[in-house]
Amino acid sequence: MKITDHIKNANGKTLFSFEIIPPIKGKNIQELYNNIDPLMEFNPPFIDVTTSREEYVYLDKGEGLLDRKTTRMRPGTLGICAALKHKYNVDTVPHVLCGGFTKEETEYLLIDCHYLAIDNVMALRGDSMKHQQYFEATKGGHVYATELVSQIQNLNKGKYLHDVLDAEHKADFCIGVAGYPEKHIEAPSLQTDLKRLKEKVDAGADYVVTQMFLDNQKYFEFVEAAKNAGINVPIIPGIKPIAVKRHMQILPQVFKIDLPEALILEIEKCKDNKQVRQVGVEWAIEQSKELLAAGVPVLHYYSMGKSDNIKAVASAIF
Ligand code: FAD
């Protein structure tokens, strides 16, 4: 079922959902199930599965020589989506990226999604490769998520790449896109970023999931500004409980998000990461309670592979 239909059918009740990361290749899927199992009692209507792009690895060839290979360390997004759908009878949302994929590869991926009865996809540009300072489009791939949304919408109209055929049978994907309450790191201003978000919605995006934020006020202001900019699709808040002290440096650096003073003070008081994890849970519970009271459609949690803290938050909320 489409995410937008899940939201409609909930009749104003806030839903619970979460995002998982596929295992590093060579690892068993069982570890993933062990982390998902405790969250299923909260009846998530959907689970997001991230996609990681390719990276360079260097193999020692001896005599000071290195051999550079390109590989994906966490492949299998679609396989994981199919496995979770089959095991838990839940909708799964594969993240589809511009970076690292040609338009043809994306088309094949979407066709597979359609065969697997996957009704929702999250359309994202993706980040730069680890060695790059800026995002560079893959040869034959898309530059911005808007273009990817248009490609998916074309499939919904039965229009394939290069106009090779007009199909009678059409796909019917519900499309999610990313939104940034504290603006995307590369955007020159929040207003410009909102204009870009509006372009994604105009191209056919059905809902938005936000980047994590730790100050609800940022989300409320973003939703208000988005409405003023003519964005009228559901905006699902993304929540990540702080888990380690280093998040104080990593989150601002990587995601360009601010930490509220009160949270920083609490983290600084912690003697170890066990205490930080507890502070993170308590903060996420307070955030979730306020968002719930504001009537958000879904509380969407970033699990980052470990679910004990998400379970603790969900137990206090749902
Ligand atoms: P876009 O919407 O294309 O925007 C990228 C930048 O370009 C923005 O600064 C925007 O303002 C600007 N821009 C857009 N259109 C134009 C234009 N026409 N001209 C000039 N500038 C423009 N990354 C992964 O690798 N895998 C994942 O699974 C993944 N999941 C995510 C899930 C969520 C909910 C979120 C919020 C992010 C996720 N990301 C993921 C990270 C995401 O890929 C990065 O944040 C990426 O840098 C931007 O992606 P986007 O889809 O927002 O890009």
Side-chain angles (χ1 to χ4, degrees), residues 19 50-51 95 97 122-127 144-146 178-180 184 186-187 193 196 199-200 209-211 302:
E19 175 187 289
T50 63
T51 294
H95 290 192
L97 301 183
M122 187 78 188
L124 299 146
R125 188 196 70 178
D127 283 319
Y144 295 112
T146 317
Y180 302 84
H184 182 255
E186 296 161 30
D193 208 23
R196 300 307 182 193
E199 285 168 6
K200 290 196 272 196
V209 182
T210 75
Q211 181 59 279
Y302 295 109

Side-chain angles (χ1 to χ4, degrees), residues 107 159-166:
E107 186 170 272
K159 201 169 165 1
Y160 286 73
L161 285 176
H162 319 307
D163 290 320
V164 287
L165 58 101
D166 274 321

Side-chain angles (χ1 to χ4, degrees), residues 118-159:
I118 286 172
D119 298 323
N120 306 278
V121 290
M122 187 78 188
L124 299 146
R125 188 196 70 178
D127 283 319
S128 54
M129 286 176 75
K130 280 184 186 151
H131 69 282
Q132 293 168 337
Q133 200 173 0
Y134 301 105
F135 177 84
E136 286 174 27
T138 297
K139 196 164 176 276
H142 295 296
V143 182
Y144 295 112
T146 317
E147 299 165 13
L148 179 55
V149 173
S150 298
Q151 182 181 3
I152 302 166
Q153 273 302 350
N154 277 341
L155 274 193
N156 284 350
K157 293 178 196 140
K159 201 169 165 1

Side-chain angles (χ1 to χ4, degrees), residues 127-282:
D127 283 319
S128 54
M129 286 176 75
K130 280 184 186 151
H131 69 282
Q132 293 168 337
Q133 200 173 0
Y134 301 105
F135 177 84
E136 286 174 27
T138 297
K139 196 164 176 276
H142 295 296
V143 182
Y144 295 112
T146 317
E147 299 165 13
L148 179 55
V149 173
S150 298
Q151 182 181 3
I152 302 166
Q153 273 302 350
N154 277 341
L155 274 193
N156 284 350
K157 293 178 196 140
K159 201 169 165 1
Y160 286 73
L161 285 176
H162 319 307
D163 290 320
V164 287
L165 58 101
D166 274 321
E168 268 174 40
H169 182 77
K170 299 178 171 71
D172 189 16
F173 289 113
C174 174
I175 307 168
V177 289
Y180 302 84
E182 298 177 64
K183 112 176 169 57
H184 182 255
I185 196 157
E186 296 161 30
S189 72
L190 189 56
Q191 211 47 44
T192 313
D193 208 23
L194 270 172
K195 210 170 101 187
R196 300 307 182 193
L197 181 59
K198 172 84 165 54
E199 285 168 6
K200 290 196 272 196
V201 173
D202 289 346
D206 298 288
Y207 69 99
V208 176
V209 182
T210 75
Q211 181 59 279
M212 66 185 79
F213 55 88
L214 291 147
D215 176 353
N216 284 351
Q217 204 47 40
K218 301 260 168 74
Y219 169 80
F220 294 133
E221 286 167 12
F222 176 68
V223 170
E224 191 59 30
K227 273 194 195 129
N228 292 337
I231 296 167
N232 294 312
V233 297
I235 301 183
I236 297 173
I239 300 161
K240 179 186 155 37
I242 294 275
V244 289
K245 213 164 208 170
R246 253 171 63 73
H247 277 156
M248 283 207 292
Q249 284 81 44
I250 295 171
L251 299 183
Q253 203 179 13
V254 177
F255 300 109
K256 212 222 148 275
I257 62 166
D258 284 345
L259 274 70
E261 270 328 300
L263 176 58
I264 296 170
L265 286 176
E266 287 306 312
I267 297 172
E268 279 175 344
K269 277 190 228 157
C270 294
K271 292 196 181 73
D272 53 32
N273 278 334
K274 197 167 164 226
Q275 290 184 1
V276 175
R277 208 167 171 83
Q278 186 53 30
V279 166
V281 165
E282 283 161 21

Side-chain angles (χ1 to χ4, degrees), residues 64-85:
L65 294 174
L66 292 175
D67 195 6
R68 192 177 79 183
K69 299 281 180 206
T70 308
T71 188
R72 276 175 210 280
M73 293 309 286
R74 293 177 186 273
T77 299
L78 196 53
I80 300 274
C81 281
L84 300 188
K85 200 169 155 56

